[in-house]
Structures are given as C-alpha cells and as structure tokens.
Amino acid sequence: MGTVRLLGAVTGAALTLLLTVAPPATGRPPTRVVNTVDELSCAFATTTGEGLFIQAGAGSASGESGSGFFLEDADGVVVLAGEGGTARFGPEFTAEIEAVRPGEEQPVGTVTLTARLTAGTPVVEQVDERDGNIRTTGTVTTTEYAFSDVAVDVPGYEVVVDELSCDGSRIDFDLLSTNPSAHVVRSRDFGSDICTFAGTADTQVRLSGEDRSAPYAEVVVDDGVNPLKAQGEIGMRGLQGTLVAPLTEIFTGETVATLTLRLRLVPAGPPTTTVERDGRALFTRTETPYLAELSLTTTDGRRGEVSCPASEVLEGSITPRR
C-alpha cells in the first residue's frame, strides 16, 4: 500500500472534489437478489435429563439445505452430536442426522425430526438502504411457522416432545442493488479528548458527533459517592454554541441542577490529509484540529473552564468494482 502525507495541502473542500471525480455511478444494470430462506431450531429434554438441540436450514438461491444437532448431559457435556444432515421443508418437515459420540468416528444411529409446519401471516419489511453510492431497495417478507405433530427419535434416549419447543420461519428476499463501476464511501466524525474542568471539582467533559456543526456533549461530575451527569447536543451557530441540560444523579435519575455549557471552537492548525492506495483502491483521511474552549455553570453554583483538544475527521474511499 502506497501512502502520501500532505500537511495542509488538501482542505476538506478539495477532498470532496477528489472523491467526486470518481468514475460515475452508472456501471452495470442493478443486481436483483431473490432468495427464500427456511430456518428451524428446536430444544427438547429427554426423560433422563439431557438437553437436545436441533437446527436446520435451506436456501432457494443456492439450492442447499442441511441440519445438525447435539445432545448434552446435565453438566453441559456433549454426549452425542451430528452435522451434515438432511432437511426437507414444506407442509411436512423431515430431517435425518447421523449421530456420533465425541471421540468416536462410527455413527451410533440416526436422529430424526418430523413435524407439520403451518405458515402464519407474512410480515413485509420495506428496505431502502445505502452503503456509500450503492443503494439497495426491495422487500424482506418473514412468515413464522407454527408446529404440530412433532416427533423426534434419538438412539438410546427418550425425548419429551413439546410443539412449543420449536421455532422457525420462512424469509423471502426480493432486493435490487445499484451496481456502480466504483464504490464510493464518505464519513465524517468529530470528537474531543476527555478533559477536566478547572474551577470545579471532579468534573470532566467529552465531545462527540458526526461533525462539528452538531457536537454532542457529556459532562460527568464524579465525587466517588454520588456521580452526576448532563448530556445533549450543543446548538451551534458557526463555531460557537450552547447547551442547557439537567444535571442528574446517575443512579436515581433525579435532577439536582440545570447545567449551561458554552463552547467555542478555535482552529488549532492546518488540516492534515493522508492518501493511501491499495491496488486500484484509494483511501483518504483529513483531520482538522481544534481547541474546544468550554465554560460551565450550574444553578447550584458550580463554575469551570477548560480548553480541550478536539478534531474533525473526514474519511473517504473509492474502490473500483471491476
């Protein structure tokens, strides 16, 4: 991976331009994914106190299905297990799994599970998500199964059958994703150190957020006996802002005072940009340093000030997809 470090040579605006000149997000036609996934899990007890756990699944896109199980004693020690079994979903479900004792290679029999599956009411979830310049839309439809006529057979054990011990569902995916020629991602983050106020005892502050235009403040007063906290988003106008929030007891939630926090952001140096390449992919990171000058007052007489190091970080990546 090649790295180039530029001190103050690339501003946030220039970085945005750098990312904008990526190949246009036309690429190929959107990709459609249609898949139906069936899944089932059951937990039973035996008459001698062991616990039996069976799982099965199937997917229409791959055409694959399978099942597995394990049986453990009252101390949590596995006494039988199996994987790579069959699973046939439909109104009548069946699964067959070879059972093996731990440390042995030869099967000692076959575990079977049969049940009648009754589909419930489908629940449709609309999907509209973004991953950078890739957008995925469509639906995910979940239909829960009800179980009846459940029968289980385990070599050497008698299983206590309970229809309520099984859960399962059918999940239908119908999704469409854009297919740009390059995947472009941008993110912005703002944060400060944890800083201690001068002028008031046991009081610290931390700033965080997606960018400096809406920082989130957390103020903690911790005397080791009855810690207090105030928090909220600072309303900013340019590089200055104010937060008015209740100062509450952490353990009880009781308000003990009203806290006013004033913030002034002072640029503390030029932006620093790092550009890295990994093959055809380009990664950029621009950090702009600030001093967060904070003053605090409360209605119960507390006052404090601190100058706290902070920074805003803009990251971006351009990854060709073909």
Side-chain angles (χ1 to χ4, degrees), residues 151-235:
V152 189
D153 183 67
V154 178
Y157 298 88
E158 184 178 349
V159 179
V160 180
V161 175
D162 181 354
E163 279 80 359
L164 297 179
S165 293
C166 290
D167 291 301
S169 62
R170 166 165 287 192
I171 307 175
D172 294 297
F173 298 88
D174 189 349
L175 303 173
L176 195 68
S177 295
T178 57
N179 198 9
S181 57
H183 186 197
V184 180
V185 178
R186 302 181 184 91
S187 68
R188 190 186 298 269
D189 182 68
F190 177 79
S192 76
D193 294 350
I194 297 174
C195 296
T196 300
F197 282 98
T200 184
D202 308 314
T203 304
Q204 293 184 317
V205 63
R206 177 178 180 268
L207 303 177
S208 60
E210 291 186 0
D211 61 69
R212 63 174 175 79
S213 66
Y216 191 86
E218 297 172 274
V219 178
V220 174
V221 182
D222 188 0
D223 60 2
V225 178
N226 185 30
L228 311 175
K229 186 172 185 178
Q231 58 189 334
E233 185 177 297
I234 300 176

Side-chain angles (χ1 to χ4, degrees), residues 199-307:
T200 184
D202 308 314
T203 304
Q204 293 184 317
V205 63
R206 177 178 180 268
L207 303 177
S208 60
E210 291 186 0
D211 61 69
R212 63 174 175 79
S213 66
Y216 191 86
E218 297 172 274
V219 178
V220 174
V221 182
D222 188 0
D223 60 2
V225 178
N226 185 30
L228 311 175
K229 186 172 185 178
Q231 58 189 334
E233 185 177 297
I234 300 176
M236 298 292 288
R237 300 186 67 177
L239 294 178
Q240 300 185 62
T242 302
L243 166 69
V244 179
L247 183 63
T248 62
E249 295 183 353
I250 290 178
F251 297 133
T252 67
E254 180 182 351
T255 298
V256 300
T258 297
L259 178 144
T260 300
L261 183 70
R262 291 182 171 84
L263 166 66
R264 184 167 76 100
L265 290 176
V266 179
T272 300
T273 295
T274 300
V275 180
E276 298 182 350
R277 286 192 176 274
D278 186 1
R280 297 172 60 207
L282 174 69
F283 302 89
T284 57
R285 184 181 189 275
T286 296
E287 181 173 0
T288 304
Y290 292 91
L291 282 179
E293 296 185 346
L294 295 145
S295 64
L296 172 151
T297 59
T298 67
T299 54
D300 63 356
R302 304 170 198 265
R303 292 180 178 274
E305 294 183 345
V306 66
S307 184

